[in-house]
Amino acid sequence: MLRGYGVGAVDYLSKPINTEILRSKIGVFVDAFRKTRELALLNKALQREVAEREKAQQALQIANQDLERRVQERTAALNRAHQGVRENEERLRMALDVAQIAAWEWHLPSGQMRWSTDPEILFGFPKGSFGSELRILRTVHPDDRPAVEEAAAAALQTGSYESQYRAVRSDGTNVWIRERGRVFADGEGDRLVGISRDVSAEREAAQERERLLKSEREARDEAERQSRLKDEFLATLSHELRTPMNAILGWLSILESGKPIREIHSALAIIARNAQMQAKLIEDLLDMNRLMAGNVTLDVTPVDFGALLQTTMQSLQPAAATRGVQLIASVESNVGEILGDSRRLQQVLWNLAHNAIKFSVPEGRVEIHVQRTVEGLQITVKDNGQGISPSFLPHVFERFRQQDASSTRAAFGLGLGLSIAKHLVELHGGTITALSAGEGQGATFIACVPAAPRPVRASAPAGETRVAPADPAGLTTISA
């Protein structure tokens, strides 16, 4: 038995062979064979399953690697997105700061506000001006508060809020703020979310534009007015020059015809008077042109204003007598002398007095009074004639301006006398004003001339007065 097992036998039978034992042993071997075969099949199936699991494991590993790669890519994308959001938030914050805009959220139940930036710094208010709740409405101008409260109340009904108001700083200055927002409701209560923007610069720019537009309109109106005045002046000039010329030519024609004339001296006087009138018109035009060009030179010498007034009265007496006007002059005893251009000051006095006579009513009265003041002399010319309307009074010294500019007016002249007088008085460093209670109430002209022309710097811009050093004869020349 041992030798049999040693050479590879698996079992043995004893002779005589017992059939039952044989069957039993064969059954055991058949059963073992079947189990071995099943086990082999099971091993093969297990190996296949292991192989499949290894494949699945490899696929899972590849999927995990792909997933990890995607997660990393997604994480990097999210980081980039977050960085972009942070950069956009920073840009937005900078843009809001530059545009003077602040975003806010107002929790209506508690009244607490949250801001994207410090509103007190943004709008130029001292710390603590808006209180612990940071409510800018604390500083609203009293006149604007009702409108702001009405807009807030309307927002609860419509869901949209818009308002513009002034906020008053502690130093009294105002900042204009425009707000827009919307109402949102959640579990914590209604919230009003919006923005506030400083629009002070925009309002100032709008006001500046309005001012420039107004200035442009005024300039255009002034240009149109000047053009109209030029047309009126040309019409007046042609009329005023033609009137004395017609008289001169008419009488010359009569004289040349040889017809007998009773009073030849009267005809010659009419011709001379009209020639003088025409010469005066031309002289006024030349004077105004020189004054506007700044080419008038004053020869400054001591001037006896009493003698000057007497000479003026003598030259104006015929014109006053022709209109039946009583001419009265008075000079205070302490007037003395002043430094000025005698010829130009007489021209001022003559223009003022002649203007008063021209617009006096028949049998009227013209008073000229000269008195001493602290700074120099005051010349007052008063009449009880036509007077000046309140609307024309501010323009009475403008050149070519006349209260009645029609060609049928009774007064003779181009409307230059008062303007020339004003320029000459100002050239002496003085002032001139006109007063009148209205039409039919007479007029008063007051000219104040300093005792001596006011010296200014030696080099003066165009249009200013320049005083040159005194010459050897003791005269001082003033040029404009």
Side-chain angles (χ1 to χ4, degrees):
M1 289 168 51
L2 293 176
R3 283 197 301 272
Y5 286 133
V7 296
V10 295
D11 204 350
Y12 67 92
L13 289 174
S14 300
K15 293 181 180 179
I17 296 174
N18 188 326
T19 58
E20 293 298 330
I21 294 175
L22 178 61
R23 290 191 185 95
S24 175
K25 286 184 178 292
I26 291 174
V28 170
F29 285 124
V30 170
D31 185 57
F33 175 78
R34 289 176 177 169
K35 289 182 178 180
T36 300
R37 187 176 59 183
E38 291 176 359
L39 182 60
L41 294 175
L42 182 61
N43 286 336
K44 290 181 179 181
L46 182 59
Q47 289 176 357
R48 287 195 301 270
E49 184 178 353
V50 169
E52 292 176 357
R53 288 189 178 184
E54 289 178 352
K55 291 181 180 180
Q57 185 68 28
Q58 292 176 355
L60 180 60
Q61 185 176 359
I62 294 173
N64 287 337
Q65 293 175 352
D66 184 64
L67 180 60
E68 185 176 356
R69 179 181 57 80
R70 292 183 180 180
V71 168
Q72 292 175 352
E73 293 176 353
R74 183 62 176 172
T75 302
L78 289 175
N79 290 334
R80 289 193 298 270
H82 290 161
Q83 181 64 25
V85 169
R86 287 192 294 270
E87 292 176 355
N88 289 337
E89 288 178 351
E90 185 63 26
R91 293 192 191 98
L92 178 59
R93 187 175 295 105
M94 293 176 61
L96 291 176
D97 291 341
V98 171
Q100 298 286 288
I101 298 176
W104 45 263
E105 179 182 299
W106 181 11
H107 188 239
L108 298 178
S110 64
Q112 193 72 27
M113 295 191 71
R114 290 189 300 172
W115 293 80
S116 61
T117 186
D118 191 334
E120 295 172 337
I121 296 177
L122 180 64
F123 298 127
F125 283 80
K127 194 66 177 177
S129 299
F130 298 163
S132 59
E133 301 89 359
L134 291 179
R135 294 188 61 184
I136 197 172
L137 298 180
R138 288 172 171 265
T139 61
V140 174
H141 193 282
D143 295 342
D144 299 338
R145 186 176 296 276
V148 175
E149 293 176 350
E150 182 179 349
L156 297 177
Q157 303 296 327
T158 63
S160 179
Y161 169 75
E162 185 170 355
S163 179
Q164 182 170 300
Y165 56 85
R166 289 166 291 176
V168 184
R169 299 189 180 101
S170 57
D171 59 359
T173 59
N174 294 331
V175 54
W176 280 93
I177 297 177
R178 180 179 296 166
E179 293 182 336
R180 298 184 66 181
R182 295 191 66 84
V183 177
F184 296 92
D186 54 21
E188 298 180 357
D190 292 338
R191 293 177 297 114
L192 184 58
V193 179
I195 59 171
S196 297
R197 184 161 66 96
D198 184 351
V199 295
S200 301
E202 294 180 10
R203 289 187 63 87
E204 291 176 0
Q207 292 173 356
E208 180 65 15
R209 286 195 299 271
E210 184 65 24
R211 187 189 67 80
L212 291 176
L213 287 174
K214 182 179 179 181
S215 176
E216 189 274 335
R217 285 194 296 268
E218 291 176 351
R220 185 175 64 250
D221 293 343
E222 178 64 18
E224 293 175 355
R225 187 181 69 85
Q226 291 295 339
S227 177
R228 186 170 59 255
L229 288 177
K230 181 184 69 174
D231 294 339
E232 293 176 357
F233 165 70
L234 292 176
T236 301
L237 178 63
S238 61
H239 173 75
E240 298 296 342
L241 290 177
R242 185 172 61 249
T243 299
M245 184 60 68
N246 288 340
I248 293 171
L249 293 176
W251 281 103
L252 288 176
S253 177
I254 294 174
L255 291 174
E256 289 178 351
S257 67
K259 295 179 180 180
I261 301 176
R262 291 183 179 180
E263 298 181 1
I264 186 69
H265 297 291
S266 176
L268 293 175
I270 293 174
I271 293 173
R273 184 169 64 252
N274 282 276
Q276 291 172 357
M277 291 170 59
Q278 196 166 52
K280 181 65 171 61
L281 291 174
I282 296 173
E283 182 62 24
D284 285 347
L285 285 172
L286 294 176
D287 279 344
M288 178 55 65
N289 182 62
R290 286 191 289 266
L291 286 168
M292 297 307 297
N295 296 327
V296 174
T297 300
L298 300 183
D299 294 327
V300 180
T301 59
V303 178
D304 182 354
F305 220 87
L308 195 70
L309 178 59
Q310 184 176 4
T311 303
T312 304
M313 292 285 290
Q314 291 174 354
S315 64
L316 288 174
Q317 191 61 49
T322 301
R323 292 185 57 83
V325 175
Q326 185 180 6
L327 194 58
I328 301 173
S330 61
V331 181
E332 292 186 353
S333 58
N334 62 341
V335 166
E337 294 182 343
I338 64 170
L339 289 177
D341 188 320
S342 175
R343 186 174 68 89
R344 294 300 184 182
L345 289 176
Q346 185 173 25
Q347 187 176 2
V348 171
L349 188 58
W350 192 94
N351 284 350
L352 293 178
H354 183 265
N355 183 78
I357 293 171
K358 183 168 62 173
F359 290 101
S360 290
V361 295
E363 307 301 327
R365 179 187 179 96
V366 174
E367 300 178 6
I368 306 174
H369 181 66
V370 181
Q371 65 185 41
R372 194 82 182 186
T373 63
V374 177
E375 295 184 353
L377 292 183
Q378 177 177 300
I379 307 160
T380 304
V381 180
K382 182 179 180 181
D383 67 77
N384 60 348
Q386 296 180 12
I388 307 171
S389 64
S391 61
F392 185 74
L393 191 59
H395 309 287
V396 71
F397 291 109
E398 295 181 9
R399 54 181 180 154
F400 310 132
R401 289 295 294 269
Q402 300 188 65
Q403 188 165 229
D404 182 7
S406 63
S407 59
T408 59
R409 66 186 184 279
F412 173 83
L414 299 177
L416 293 177
L418 293 180
S419 181
I420 293 173
K422 181 177 185 293
H423 279 81
L424 292 177
V425 169
E426 291 177 347
L427 194 60
H428 280 81
T431 60
I432 186 170
T433 56
L435 305 173
S436 178
E439 296 185 17
Q441 303 296 317
T444 302
F445 290 85
I446 302 174
C448 297
V449 182
R454 301 169 186 172
V456 295
R457 57 185 181 276
S459 178
E464 292 191 5
T465 302
R466 181 171 59 252
V467 179
D471 61 19
L475 300 180
T476 303
T477 301
I478 301 180
S479 60

